[in-house]
Amino acid sequence: MSVASLKTALQNAVGTPSPSSSSENAEPRSRCDLTAVPDSSQKGDGTLTVELMVHPGYPSLPQEGGCGEGPDDFSQSLDRLHELRTLTDPELRRLYKEKNIQLCAFRDL
């Protein structure tokens, strides 16, 4: 996941393609795709729900944190920190504000 690929995917999800994606013959520039959401994800108030499958955070220490029996390989991975830094990048924060995008946990929906 990169800032550029996430930005493109979010812009496509909310219906505002990035300028680079407007060319008819353009090659896909991103491997970050958001799955098309069913009509039921569009609430009557105009709210659109899109799921990003991420687990941002800080790596767990061995024998501390994690789920169930303790930390697994991913919970101890620097990938969690990469996801956190990507999602909170200033460029993406501007996009969230501009497009009225609210990040939340799945349980908050």
Side-chain angles (χ1 to χ4, degrees):
M1 172 175 49
S2 70
V3 170
S5 63
L6 185 53
K7 184 176 179 181
T8 299
L10 287 170
Q11 288 173 320
N12 288 335
V14 297
T16 54
S18 62
S20 62
S21 65
S22 62
S23 173
E24 289 180 21
N25 298 321
E27 291 292 318
R29 295 174 11 114
S30 167
R31 292 178 37 176
C32 179
D33 295 319
L34 297 178
T35 304
V37 291
D39 290 338
S40 62
S41 67
Q42 181 80 37
K43 296 181 182 177
D45 64 1
T47 301
L48 175 68
T49 302
V50 177
E51 180 180 2
L52 296 174
M53 181 64 176
V54 294
H55 294 89
Y58 299 98
S60 297
L61 298 173
Q63 307 308 317
E64 294 181 24
C67 298
E69 300 293 318
D72 59 13
D73 289 341
F74 182 74
S75 70
Q76 296 179 66
S77 167
L78 288 176
D79 290 341
R80 296 191 69 210
L81 186 56
H82 170 74
E83 289 180 353
L84 178 63
R85 288 179 176 158
T86 300
L87 291 168
T88 59
D89 182 88
E91 183 178 349
L92 285 174
R93 285 182 180 259
R94 284 189 293 277
L95 179 68
Y96 304 151
K97 186 173 183 175
E98 175 187 321
K99 300 296 179 188
N100 199 25
I101 295 172
Q102 178 183 351
L103 298 181
C104 65
F106 184 78
R107 70 175 175 260
D108 297 331
L109 296 177

